[in-house]
Amino acid sequence: MVELLDGIFGKSKLHYPSKGQISYDCPVCSYDLKGMDKLDGKGNLEINYAQHVFKCWVCGETHNTKGHLGYLIDRYGKRKDKELYELIRPDEFKRVDKEYDELKLPKDFKLATDGNQYHIPFREMRNYLKRRGVTDEMIEKHQIGYSLEGDYAYRIIIPSFDEEGELNYYTGRSWNPNSKSKYKNPEAEKQIIIFNESLIDWEQDIYLCEGPFDSLFLPNSIALLGKKMSDILFETLYDKAKKDIIIVLDSDAWEDSKRLYFKLSGGRLYGRIKVVKLPDGKDIADLRGELLPEYFIQLER
């Protein structure tokens, strides 16, 4: 791997084999920003070939010189370099050292269609879902439930299942308007999951949105659980996505949407990233998933 990287980026500056960390002069800084005809000797391009990522500590944020190592090799290497890289690439991600308890749904978890219609908490929960536009079909597809006891009492539970169908995360959303905390989530490592990966068809267009409620209203969608994208999601999209990726964040997250666009729009994904700018004060759940043509914004790299 080091010989391959040396062949593309020249002599390395620093190398920590135990960490899989190596640094080179950044070609973007040298050629694009400084207009030099040779590398600048600064060694600011840092590559972790154990975790399969790279970043320039000078232009990483301003010029998107960061992300998936395959994209970097696509951009600066030759075809034979990429072919060799695909053969010798290491494990992409290391698991965190912290240990978490086995993830389980609340003990009294029930599907949101299962309950006594004369029981006031059940009726409150159902009325809340109805106001949000959540249908019984959505409940069945996403296995949406609720809890009336313990830490997640009076919360709607939206679970996530990995590609093997195993529970890997869930969110608890209070239906009580006076609740001090709208959301409650289990202690788990969000950075190593893809929310509801079991439902994703990588052969079709994929939508990226902020939260699980948003994802209910978009076909083939992945909730980021925030406004940023994890490295493992970036890696998986880069490797598996076969059609367009549409970014649909809330109206207050336009700058985050643009950052996601520029991070994804490169290598084999170039030309397949679209971004949606929602009306002020709206999220995709408010709009019930209706995306008008004027919401799609064309960005230039």
Side-chain angles (χ1 to χ4, degrees):
M1 177 61 73
V2 173
E3 289 179 2
L4 171 64
L5 294 173
D6 283 351
I8 299 172
F9 302 106
K11 184 175 177 57
S12 63
K13 300 300 180 182
L14 295 173
H15 185 203
Y16 302 95
S18 62
K19 299 179 180 179
Q21 199 88 1
I22 194 166
S23 63
Y24 296 93
D25 297 335
C26 174
V28 176
C29 288
S30 303
Y31 303 135
D32 299 346
L33 301 185
K34 298 178 181 178
M36 300 174 67
D37 57 6
K38 62 180 180 179
L39 294 167
D40 62 9
K42 301 294 185 180
N44 289 316
L45 178 65
E46 194 161 294
I47 296 172
N48 189 306
Y49 53 81
Q51 292 186 332
H52 199 51
V53 293
F54 74 95
K55 180 176 181 178
C56 174
W57 294 106
V58 173
C59 68
E61 297 300 329
T62 58
H63 288 73
N64 199 39
T65 316
K66 59 181 179 178
H68 179 273
L69 182 52
Y71 163 62
L72 191 66
I73 293 175
D74 269 342
R75 184 171 179 181
Y76 292 103
K78 299 177 181 177
R79 181 175 179 178
K80 65 178 182 179
D81 295 325
K82 186 59 184 296
E83 291 174 350
L84 179 59
Y85 170 71
E86 295 292 349
L87 287 175
I88 65 175
R89 60 189 288 183
D91 292 338
E92 290 87 355
F93 292 94
K94 293 180 178 179
R95 300 305 187 192
V96 294
D97 293 328
K98 183 176 179 179
E99 293 185 1
Y100 295 92
D101 294 334
E102 181 183 358
L103 192 63
K104 296 180 180 179
L105 290 169
K107 289 182 179 180
D108 68 327
F109 174 88
K110 291 182 180 180
L111 274 184
T113 52
D114 182 12
N116 184 345
Q117 61 178 327
Y118 299 108
H119 189 210
I120 291 177
F122 179 75
R123 285 164 52 190
E124 290 175 343
M125 179 271 297
R126 292 288 297 178
N127 287 336
Y128 175 83
L129 290 176
K130 185 177 180 179
R131 289 196 303 271
R132 295 291 302 266
V134 178
T135 65
D136 286 354
E137 289 76 14
M138 292 176 181
I139 291 170
E140 293 291 339
K141 178 181 178 180
H142 295 271
Q143 294 295 289
I144 302 169
Y146 68 103
S147 175
L148 297 178
E149 300 176 4
D151 292 340
Y152 287 84
Y154 305 105
R155 292 181 183 275
I156 292 162
I157 310 296
I158 303 181
S160 166
F161 301 93
D162 64 20
E163 59 184 344
E164 303 297 329
E166 297 293 327
L167 180 73
N168 60 7
Y169 199 69
Y170 60 87
T171 62
R173 207 304 183 181
S174 174
W175 66 76
N176 181 355
N178 298 317
S179 175
K180 293 181 179 179
S181 177
K182 288 184 179 180
Y183 288 95
K184 182 176 177 61
N185 303 320
E187 187 174 355
E189 182 49 68
K190 293 195 298 184
Q191 295 303 310
I192 62 172
I193 73 163
I194 295 173
F195 198 86
N196 265 336
E197 187 175 6
S198 62
L199 297 177
I200 300 304
D201 182 351
W202 302 104
E203 303 289 331
Q204 302 299 321
D205 290 348
I206 296 169
Y207 291 81
L208 301 180
C209 56
E210 289 190 35
F213 262 97
D214 298 323
S215 70
L216 303 179
F217 297 93
L218 292 169
N220 209 37
S221 60
I222 299 174
L224 300 176
L225 303 175
K227 303 180 190 298
K228 300 183 185 298
M229 179 169 51
S230 67
D231 289 337
I232 197 167
L233 177 55
F234 183 98
E235 157 79 9
T236 306
L237 288 169
Y238 192 88
D239 284 346
K240 289 187 175 183
K242 296 298 187 291
K243 290 193 175 180
D244 290 345
I245 298 172
I246 301 101
I247 300 164
V248 191
L249 303 191
D250 294 353
S251 60
D252 64 351
W254 178 237
E255 292 302 316
D256 299 284
S257 296
K258 291 194 290 186
R259 279 191 284 269
L260 278 178
Y261 173 87
F262 289 119
K263 180 172 183 176
L264 284 165
S265 186
R268 68 178 67 177
L269 297 180
Y270 184 76
R272 294 199 280 127
I273 311 301
K274 298 179 180 179
V275 62
V276 169
K277 186 175 184 181
L278 297 179
D280 289 346
K282 297 294 184 180
D283 60 34
I284 198 63
D286 296 329
L287 299 173
R288 304 292 192 266
E290 184 180 4
L291 298 179
L292 301 179
E294 56 263 33
Y295 297 167
F296 287 81
I297 305 298
Q298 182 66 46
L299 296 178
E300 301 290 341
R301 278 197 64 82

